[in-house]
Amino acid sequence: MTSSPNQIMTRLAYLGLAPFALSLICIWADKTLFGLDAHTVFIAYSAVILSFLSGILWGNAIDHMKTSLSRNALLLSNLFALIAWGVLLHSPESYVWSVLVLLFGFVAIWFAEKKIREVEKENSPADYQPMRNKLTGIVAIFHLVALAS
């Protein structure tokens, strides 16, 4: 049986939550992960995923060059990639700051992507925006839990 690209997208998106969950479990259990402090692993994975989403925002902007939001999305995509990098550099000194900045980044990218899709009246694939809404909510909750840990 062959999976459709839509099914693969959905599966990969939800599987992407696993490293967040595993890091949180290790934080709670006071265990290391890959020989690293679990807080560090959480921050590093979060920064990588934020950078990945920045790339998706870049792609959305390129696909919608007609809209005035496109220029802003291009700038934001680079800004959030740089923010993720900066967080990686400073995370050892400020865990709380790092988690808060990354949380803000996830919400801001979700909002920007949602706005582009609304302005362009883009609703294909139909499952995408509801999936992004759920994933962003879950990732936000994971970050809030990480702050409490």
Side-chain angles (χ1 to χ4, degrees):
M1 178 190 286
T2 304
S3 297
S4 73
N6 202 30
Q7 291 170 318
I8 294 169
M9 172 192 70
T10 302
R11 286 181 191 142
L12 290 174
Y14 283 102
L15 279 172
L17 295 172
F20 284 119
L22 181 59
S23 297
L24 286 175
I25 291 166
C26 289
I27 289 170
W28 291 331
D30 197 26
K31 301 288 182 187
T32 61
L33 194 56
F34 309 114
L36 299 167
D37 177 70
H39 294 89
T40 301
V41 175
F42 184 89
I43 294 291
Y45 184 70
S46 183
V48 166
I49 296 303
L50 183 61
S51 293
F52 173 78
L53 291 174
S54 293
I56 292 173
L57 187 58
W58 174 280
N60 284 339
I62 289 172
D63 286 346
H64 301 99
M65 293 295 251
K66 298 177 277 188
T67 179
S68 61
L69 291 176
S70 179
R71 180 182 70 84
N72 296 339
L74 288 168
L75 295 171
L76 282 175
S77 72
N78 281 264
L79 174 65
F80 284 110
L82 290 171
I83 286 171
W85 178 53
V87 166
L88 279 176
L89 296 176
H90 290 284
S91 64
E93 294 119 29
S94 182
Y95 176 73
V96 170
W97 176 86
S98 298
V99 173
L100 285 173
V101 169
L102 290 165
L103 172 58
F104 169 77
F106 281 105
V107 173
I109 285 178
W110 166 81
F111 182 78
E113 187 178 1
K114 186 172 167 34
K115 279 292 166 200
I116 290 172
R117 291 174 64 82
E118 284 174 6
V119 167
E120 288 296 312
K121 295 174 180 43
E122 177 132 0
N123 55 8
S124 178
D127 300 350
Y128 182 75
Q129 195 60 53
M131 177 191 72
R132 281 286 282 126
N133 296 344
K134 287 178 196 163
L135 288 169
T136 300
I138 293 167
V139 168
I141 290 167
F142 283 166
H143 281 72
L144 293 172
V145 170
L147 282 173
S149 301

